[in-house]
Amino acid sequence: MRDIGIVIVNWNTCALLRRCLETVFASQGDLRMRVVVVDNGSGDGSADMVADCFPQVDLIAQSDNLGYPRANNLGLRRLGFQAKGAIAADAPRYALLLNPDTELPPTALATMLAFMDSRLDIGAAGPKLVLSDGSLDKACRRGFPSPLVSFYHYAGLARLFPRSRRFGYYNMTFADENQDIEVDSVVGAFMQVRREAIERVGLLDEAFFMYGEDLDWAFRIKAAGYKIWYHAAVTVMHVKRAASRQSPRAQFEFWRAMLIFYRKHFRRDTWLPIHLLILAALLYKGGLGLWREIRQPTSTP
């Protein structure tokens, strides 16, 4: 059984993907790993680069852009994570979702493995992610965007009171970025998940296209009784939005993801007048294209 199976979904980030893979294979420690790259129909030669330069990678080259969760699920299935309750005997002990616009320090994988091995109650974990300018990628430790938490964030209260546990919960700005903390979710740019947690909750929800699927996975993992942790001892560089900034539908998909997540996890307990206000806010942010989405049911994996 391998220690870790790494799934990297790529779309038109050839140079960044190459650097990411170089850092992955430069990892130190006695690691038994398998790397799967799912190329989502890139037009920049990414798939050819992987085939030529990294023959040890298991490459899945798609002709179309399948979206982030569906492509990740292809990679997870290749690793042996078939579905809820169906895990192949040779599936690795951990699965790692990794973005192609990340760069790993040599000890990142070994340290994260040791951290999760030390705490069997951890279902998923992520490191400290920093942007190119050295600042914290705030998405690497998050609270679930409940209606109230989202209101505090988008009303600006989080900016006014970043050290408040109540108002700063969306990005957990109240916590020291250099200390470990239990969180609601880590980000899919580097999300390490325990084999047993995947067996209990299943794969990513393909109702999402991009954004939100990591939050939803974390929500289900926590609901299954596991904890999610941010591990500050590991720092990973994240370029961020290297692929999404090329996509004109990215902004729409963000708000569509928030709609799916809200309806799936919070609608049932939301008072009708508040529900209508939330829909109005989402339509304002995401545009009228969300109206069609509002009329459609949300799938459950």
Side-chain angles (χ1 to χ4, degrees), residues 57-131:
V57 167
D58 192 340
L59 174 64
I60 303 175
Q62 296 296 127
S63 58
D64 300 311
N65 187 349
L66 304 179
Y68 189 75
R70 186 177 173 193
N72 265 300
N73 284 346
L74 282 178
L76 290 168
R77 291 188 181 99
R78 182 65 62 89
L79 292 170
F81 300 101
Q82 297 300 322
K84 183 177 180 179
I87 304 294
D90 61 348
R93 297 193 297 118
Y94 297 99
L96 172 62
L97 305 188
L98 186 68
N99 272 16
D101 57 354
T102 57
E103 294 184 17
L104 305 185
T107 61
L109 295 179
T111 304
M112 289 298 299
L113 281 171
F115 175 67
M116 291 193 70
D117 281 346
S118 70
R119 295 279 302 273
L120 298 182
D121 60 342
I122 298 177
K128 177 181 179 181
L129 294 181
V130 296
L131 304 176

Side-chain angles (χ1 to χ4, degrees), residues 12-13 19 37 58 76 79 115 141 147 165 168 173 183 208 226 231 265 277 294:
N12 290 324
T13 58
R19 179 57 186 154
V37 170
D58 192 340
L76 290 168
L79 292 170
F115 175 67
R141 47 176 201 174
R165 180 175 288 270
T173 51
V183 297
F208 299 91
Y226 289 99
H231 189 39
H265 298 299
L277 286 173
I294 288 172

Side-chain angles (χ1 to χ4, degrees), residues 175-189:
D176 185 342
E177 66 183 58
N178 296 311
Q179 291 186 354
D180 291 359
I181 184 175
E182 184 179 352
V183 297
D184 283 343
S185 179
V186 294
V187 69

